[in-house]
Amino acid sequence: MIWVAATLIAALAQTARNAAQSGLTARIGTIGATSVRFIFGLPFAALALLCLSAFADLPPIALRALAFTALGAVAQIAATAFMLLTMRGQSFGIATALMKTEPVTLAIIGAVVLAEPLGPARMTAIAMATLGVVLSSGARWSRAGLRPVLTGLVAGALFGLSAVGFRGALLSLPPGGYVVHALTILVLTLALQSAAMLVWLIMVDRAALRGIVAEWRVSLSAGALGAFASLFWFIGFALTPAANVRTLALVEVVFAQIVSGRVFRERTSKRQLAGMALIVAGVGLLLAVATT
């Protein structure tokens, strides 16, 4: 059950990264702020891998592992672009709910691409937790336009595809320790993404690139937290199907609702309570299936 602890750590670290990164968007734009997680995360991941290489042999990267890593890296960048497009054309609640459909598409893609088991109990658990997120989002679906809904669903599917790519890359490595495997694929992923984003910024948005350099202190903290969170996501992917990891991560929604109620005194509706109950029930069923 190491993957459970790794997933919870990753979710908490990602929340901290988002907090550190949120202020950058207003100052350097969405593309610049998004690039920070890759460009400033790479040095920390590379340094960690260098230190680990003194105690463990690094796995060789075959063409299959490289192809899966590239698939995950490109799909994640594309998913982020569609996510930003959805948030621009729709309310935050609707956009968030659409992003969280990822576990459903992830389970289906994983079954097709990686031949991972997709039994009725596991799919029921994923569907319950995902429906719970939709209900707890508080989104007013009557106001949702068709185009933002479609881009949101595409973003969720692409995030799922990226997780399948990372899972496939990890499975393509020869037998070895899951930590060194996760860190190796993470460094390769961040290197590919950083190169792609730097080319884009140099050619299209040099103002954002200058902003990233000017905000290097905040960017460093966001990059460090991002690399830390990604490492634990990858550890989870190395130990269990990616759909299990991303479904368990939906409990983050429950934590956010609890914090908003206790700290910010925000009222929780009956529909949101029902959604949180579905998330907990779905995650509980998933854990029961995963441990049998």
Side-chain angles (χ1 to χ4, degrees):
M1 298 299 289
I2 295 175
W3 71 270
V4 175
T7 300
L8 296 176
I9 292 172
L12 290 172
Q14 182 167 288
T15 301
R17 185 208 71 195
N18 290 341
Q21 198 174 358
S22 61
L24 288 174
T25 303
R27 297 194 293 272
I28 62 177
T30 52
I31 298 298
T34 301
S35 303
V36 163
R37 61 180 292 192
F38 308 130
I39 298 172
F40 284 86
L42 177 59
F44 291 100
L47 180 59
L49 183 61
L50 179 63
C51 294
L52 186 60
S53 65
F55 306 97
D57 294 330
L58 302 185
I61 305 295
L63 182 60
R64 179 180 173 86
L66 179 60
F68 268 118
T69 303
L71 172 65
V74 173
Q76 190 175 57
I77 291 176
T80 303
F82 274 96
M83 178 188 71
L84 295 173
L85 185 62
T86 304
M87 288 183 171
R88 183 183 303 172
Q90 202 53 262
S91 71
F92 180 79
I94 292 175
T96 300
L98 291 169
M99 299 304 107
K100 298 301 183 180
T101 59
E102 172 195 352
V104 177
T105 55
L106 173 51
I108 296 172
I109 296 172
V112 173
V113 177
L114 302 177
E116 293 185 325
L118 186 61
R122 183 163 169 257
M123 199 62 205
T124 299
I126 293 171
M128 286 173 59
T130 303
L131 178 59
V133 171
V134 173
L135 292 175
S136 63
S137 67
R140 297 182 179 181
W141 293 96
S142 60
R143 300 181 180 180
L146 178 60
R147 184 174 178 180
V149 168
L150 290 177
T151 57
L153 291 174
V154 170
L158 285 170
F159 275 123
L161 182 61
S162 70
V164 168
F166 300 142
R167 167 76 170 163
L170 289 161
L171 292 177
S172 300
L173 297 178
Y178 57 86
V179 176
V180 68
H181 280 189
L183 199 48
T184 299
I185 296 300
L186 174 60
V187 170
L188 181 58
T189 299
L190 290 175
L192 292 173
Q193 292 172 326
S194 296
M197 296 308 296
L198 281 172
V199 169
W200 173 267
L201 290 171
I202 291 172
M203 295 182 63
V204 179
D205 197 351
R206 293 189 180 184
L209 184 59
R210 290 191 294 270
I212 290 173
V213 175
E215 298 285 347
W216 65 270
R217 290 183 179 84
V218 179
S219 298
L220 274 177
S221 62
L225 288 168
F228 183 78
S230 296
L231 172 60
F232 281 92
W233 287 129
F234 280 38
I235 288 175
F237 294 155
L239 296 172
T240 191
N244 290 351
V245 174
R246 300 306 293 170
T247 303
L248 176 59
L250 294 180
V251 298
E252 176 188 351
V253 176
V254 178
F255 297 153
Q257 289 288 351
I258 293 173
V259 170
S260 65
R262 291 189 174 275
V263 177
F264 299 106
R265 304 297 180 185
E266 294 180 357
R267 188 175 179 180
T268 303
S269 68
K270 291 181 179 180
R271 188 177 72 169
Q272 289 174 312
L273 288 173
M276 287 189 284
L278 271 176
I279 294 173
V280 173
V283 168
L285 177 58
L286 175 73
L287 293 176
V289 172
T291 55
T292 56

